[in-house]
């Protein structure tokens, strides 16, 4: 845990936004003032110490075993966030040329651009992207869950908290148009905005696996306070557990939580090439997106629904069963990569044709080692040999 304890904490993202954001997003029809961040307060980090041990998630998630089977190659994960520093050494070559949305005080609400250089002022998006696809560093001091995957950054220049629902919806549509495989939404807010709901539904219909954070308000499972986009239909929602595998009290609860990842303090990539310490459901969500990239890399014909099922069915239950903070349990990449369907089915049936599906066949019936005829012949042969031996 040296890498986790040696990096000084830098929580430069405002408290309500960090780690599974609770947004003060304006309701539909309202427009915030346009004041795109100029990075005058650029988030930065520090170097990892030379004696930092292997990254904790490698052991917690069994990543070395998983990497023997897949690294995420060929899979693109969209990160709708504060941007991604594509020049970070751990992400070099892993960040596609994404898009940027800037809110404007006009009827159109926002402007979309395709910047030549990716940037990230608060650093939250870079941390999430690094958790998904950072390269393996020397000594495995740092790594993403799927180091072979590609990140498609969608930057909300003014901050996700200031974006209108129509802006967020356009950003989701941008991910669909970019033909991404997985969409990571490491933010949450307690408002069901119709434009965003419709955009998420379009992503689900387009075959994109949408992975969203449950948020960090510790809502005690009150059904009257679901979080969005986490609670939308078709979304794979992620809560957080601590390093001991127990649910974090700050992780929101509800029957809409599907899965959990590790949300304890961890070193994460920071803009400028350094690292800082963060925690919460934002990064648990990134772990699930990374695990999904590993599985899809090995089984590219899986649908988004099959991919989500595979991740939940192979999860490690917390407390012996399903929980409102952890869903089916803690994501297990290796188990998801090697998951066997526990039902015996017709080898030629529909289930056998599902990609990544290996039906468990029934045990063979107990049969005698020899047929009656062979047993009789063997008996006579033994008797003759015994007679010869006695005669000698």
């Amino acid at each position: 845990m040296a890498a986790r304890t040696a990096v000084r904490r830098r929580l430069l993202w405002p408290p309500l936004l960090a780690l599974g954001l609770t947004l003060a997003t304006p309701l539909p029809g309202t427009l915030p003032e346009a004041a795109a961040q100029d990075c005058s307060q650029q988030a930065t980090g520090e170097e990892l110490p030379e004696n930092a041990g292997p990254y904790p998630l490698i052991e917690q998630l069994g990543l070395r075993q998983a990497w023997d089977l897949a690294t995420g190659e060929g899979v693109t994960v969209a990160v709708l966030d504060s941007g991604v520093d594509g020049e970070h050494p751990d992400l070099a070559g892993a960040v596609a040329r994404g898009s940027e949305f800037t809110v404007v005080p006009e009827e159109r609400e926002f402007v979309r651009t395709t910047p030549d250089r990716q940037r990230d002022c608060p650093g939250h998006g870079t941390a999430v992207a690094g958790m998904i696809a950072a390269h393996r560093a020397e000594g495995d001091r740092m790594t993403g869950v799927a180091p072979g995957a590609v990140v498609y950054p969608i930057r909300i220049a003014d901050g996700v908290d200031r974006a209108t629902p129509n802006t967020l919806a356009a950003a989701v549509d941008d991910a669909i148009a970019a033909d991404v495989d997985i969409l990571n939404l490491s933010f949450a807010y307690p408002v069901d905005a119709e434009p965003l709901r419709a955009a998420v539904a379009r992503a689900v219909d387009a075959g994109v696996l949408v992975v969203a954070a449950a948020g960090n308000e510790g809502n005690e499972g009150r059904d009257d306070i679901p979080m969005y986009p986490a609670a939308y239909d078709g979304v794979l929602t992620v809560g957080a557990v601590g390093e001991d595998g127990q649910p974090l009290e700050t992780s929101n609860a509800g029957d809409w939580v599907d899965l959990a990842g590790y949300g304890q303090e961890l070193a994460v990539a920071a803009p400028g090439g350094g690292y800082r310490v963060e925690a919460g459901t934002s990064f648990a969500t990134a772990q699930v997106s990374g695990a999904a990239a590993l599985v899809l890399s090995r089984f590219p014909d899986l649908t988004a629904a099959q991919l989500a099922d595979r991740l939940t069915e192979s999860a490690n239950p917390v407390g012996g069963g399903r929980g409102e903070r952890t869903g089916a349990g803690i994501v297990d990449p290796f188990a998801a990569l090697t998951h066997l369907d526990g039902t015996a089915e017709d080898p030629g049936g529909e289930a056998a044709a599902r990609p990544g599906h290996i039906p468990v066949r029934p045990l063979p019936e107990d049969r005698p080692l020899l047929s009656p005829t062979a047993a009789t012949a063997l008996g006579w042969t033994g008797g003759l040999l015994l007679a010869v031996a006695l005669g000698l």
Side-chain angles (χ1 to χ4, degrees), residues 200-357:
V200 168
R202 288 192 292 272
V204 172
D205 290 342
V208 178
L209 178 66
V210 181
V211 187
N216 305 291
E217 292 68 41
N219 64 1
E220 301 298 335
R222 291 175 290 180
D223 293 335
D224 58 328
I225 310 182
M227 304 300 285
Y228 302 96
Y232 290 142
D233 291 341
V235 173
L236 187 64
T237 300
V238 184
V241 299
E243 57 188 326
D244 59 356
Q246 296 304 305
L248 291 181
E249 292 185 0
T250 54
S251 183
N252 288 332
D255 58 7
W256 36 271
V257 177
D258 300 301
L259 206 56
Y262 287 95
Q264 80 270 16
E265 291 185 340
L266 288 164
V268 294
Y275 306 89
R276 60 179 183 172
V277 170
E278 294 282 20
T281 60
S282 282
F283 308 104
T285 302
Q287 293 162 33
V288 171
S289 291
L294 293 179
V295 175
L296 196 58
S297 178
R298 189 177 190 211
F299 303 114
D301 293 329
L302 286 174
T303 67
Q306 290 170 345
L307 179 55
D309 288 344
R310 196 177 184 90
L311 291 167
T312 53
E313 290 171 4
S314 61
N316 290 317
V318 176
R322 185 175 181 83
E324 287 200 322
R325 281 200 177 91
T326 58
I330 304 171
V331 66
D332 187 333
F334 181 73
L337 286 164
T338 57
H339 178 59
L340 300 178
D341 194 311
T343 59
E345 302 179 65
D346 179 6
E350 179 180 354
R354 282 165 38 199
H357 174 86

Side-chain angles (χ1 to χ4, degrees), residues 47-99:
E47 289 299 319
L48 288 175
E50 290 295 330
N51 61 348
Y55 198 54
L57 287 181
I58 294 177
E59 181 176 351
Q60 288 175 309
L61 295 178
L63 292 179
R64 288 195 179 92
Q65 295 89 335
W67 290 332
D68 285 340
L69 302 175
T71 62
E73 186 175 354
V75 178
T76 300
V77 183
V79 174
L80 197 168
D81 214 296
S82 61
V84 175
D85 178 10
E87 297 180 356
H88 194 291
D90 290 348
L91 289 166
V95 181
R97 187 180 180 187
S99 58

